[in-house]
Structures are given as C-alpha cells and as structure tokens.
Amino acid sequence: MKSKETDRSLEESFVSREEIFHGKIVHLVRDTVTLPNRNTATREVVLHLGAVVIVPLFSDGTVLMERQYRYAQGRVMYELPAGKLDSAGEDPQEAAIRELREETGLRAGKMTPLGYYIPSPAVLGERIGVFLAEELTEGEISLDPDEFLHTERRPLTELVEEILRGEIEDGKTQSALLRVYLLKERGLL
C-alpha cells in the first residue's frame, strides 16, 4: 500500500458548490475542485447519509435473504437486509439493529461490524456499514408503509456459489456475503 504522503499528491480541493437537487434520499450537487496540477474541474456528486447491510447468519449456516422490488432496476432483486441511516449522526450499528428488526423481525445477540462498502466512489457519497448478525431470535416484523418484501433462509455456501455464477447482482449483498464466507473459512470469525 502506498504512503499517505503519496496519496496526498492525488487529492482534489473543494472550491465551490452548486445545489442541483435535494430530495428525500439523495442530494445532487455540482462541485468545482482544484486538481493536483492546480487546474479546476467539475464533480457531480450524489450526497447520501449512508446505509447499512446486515448478514443474518443462523447457527446452521443459513442466511436470511430478502426479495424486494427495486424500481430503479425495474425488477425484484435478491438482497440482504439493509437500510439507510436516519440521520448524519446515527451510529451505523444502531441502524443495523433497527433495520434487521424492522425488515425481518430478528434480534441479534451478537452484532459484529465488518467495515464499509462504497458502491460507486466516483459519483456517490454513500458508505454502507457491513454487519454480521448472529445469535438470532425471532420477533415481529415492522416494515415501513412503502416497503414490501419476502424473506427466505438459504445456506451461505449456496449463496456464494450463486454470486460466483452471476445470479446475485446486488453489490452490497455480494460484498457482505463473500466477506463473511471468507472470514469464516479462515477462522477469523
């Protein structure tokens, strides 16, 4: 890995911002930046509070997955439980606990943070906290009024094979499942 000093030579500096759109979930801005060579450039960025994705892993090696219609893709997607942060200051682990309970009814006796996933670093400011939920107990589902989904339990090993065959396309789901699988295989979890 390169040194931080070398990385600093690649940094761009903020000059000004133009607001383009401010919606419920996304905030689109056009920033002017100074490049490392002192020229200026424009960067269009979608600002986002952030989100979480949770791998609910049962003791038998199965994972609770969701099927949910995603309007932007025009189809039902196969994903892990996930959701956005409610505010800029919200603790991602607290959001993961909330989203897991609301979408699946599950409560985790053990919640392990596994780092972050950045879905599209060139244009999207979203960072997704990745969590492993274990020691699961069932409870009541409490979906948002505009949220509709189905859940099913599947073996982690089968899900990894589906990712490798290109059958699970959601990036956060791929990243989180593969991370958990490899950490388990290497005895690090």
Side-chain angles (χ1 to χ4, degrees), residues 9 11 22 29 32 36 45 62 73-74 82 101 104 112 114 131 137 141 149 153 158 163-164 177 182:
S9 70
E11 289 180 7
H22 194 107
V29 298
T32 300
V45 179
T62 60
Q73 295 298 315
R101 181 183 41 78
T104 69
T112 306
L114 300 177
F131 292 88
T137 55
I141 294 173
L149 54 88
R153 282 173 64 168
E158 286 181 16
I163 290 168
L164 296 177
L177 288 173
L182 288 171

Side-chain angles (χ1 to χ4, degrees), residues 84-163:
K84 66 179 185 60
L85 301 181
D86 282 344
S87 67
E90 184 176 20
D91 176 56
Q93 187 159 328
E94 291 302 314
I97 291 166
R98 180 191 72 245
E99 289 296 330
L100 181 66
R101 181 183 41 78
E102 287 178 2
E103 291 187 5
T104 69
L106 295 174
R107 296 191 192 298
K110 182 179 178 186
M111 185 73 79
T112 306
L114 300 177
Y116 286 88
Y117 170 73
I118 298 175
S120 186
V123 297
L124 184 58
E126 181 181 30
R127 284 182 61 194
I128 301 175
V130 181
F131 292 88
L132 171 62
E134 297 175 287
E135 301 172 11
L136 300 168
T137 55
E138 294 185 28
E140 278 236 8
I141 294 173
S142 177
L143 295 174
D144 292 335
D146 64 347
E147 197 169 33
F148 301 89
L149 54 88
H150 296 289
T151 61
E152 63 182 63
R153 282 173 64 168
R154 297 280 310 290
L156 176 60
T157 53
E158 286 181 16
L159 294 169
V160 168
E161 290 302 318
E162 289 178 16
I163 290 168

Side-chain angles (χ1 to χ4, degrees), residues 19 31 51 58-59 63 71 75 80 83 93 138 165 177:
E19 303 280 338
D31 287 354
F58 291 87
S59 59
V63 174
Y71 182 82
R75 62 191 166 106
L80 287 167
Q93 187 159 328
E138 294 185 28
R165 288 193 305 265
L177 288 173

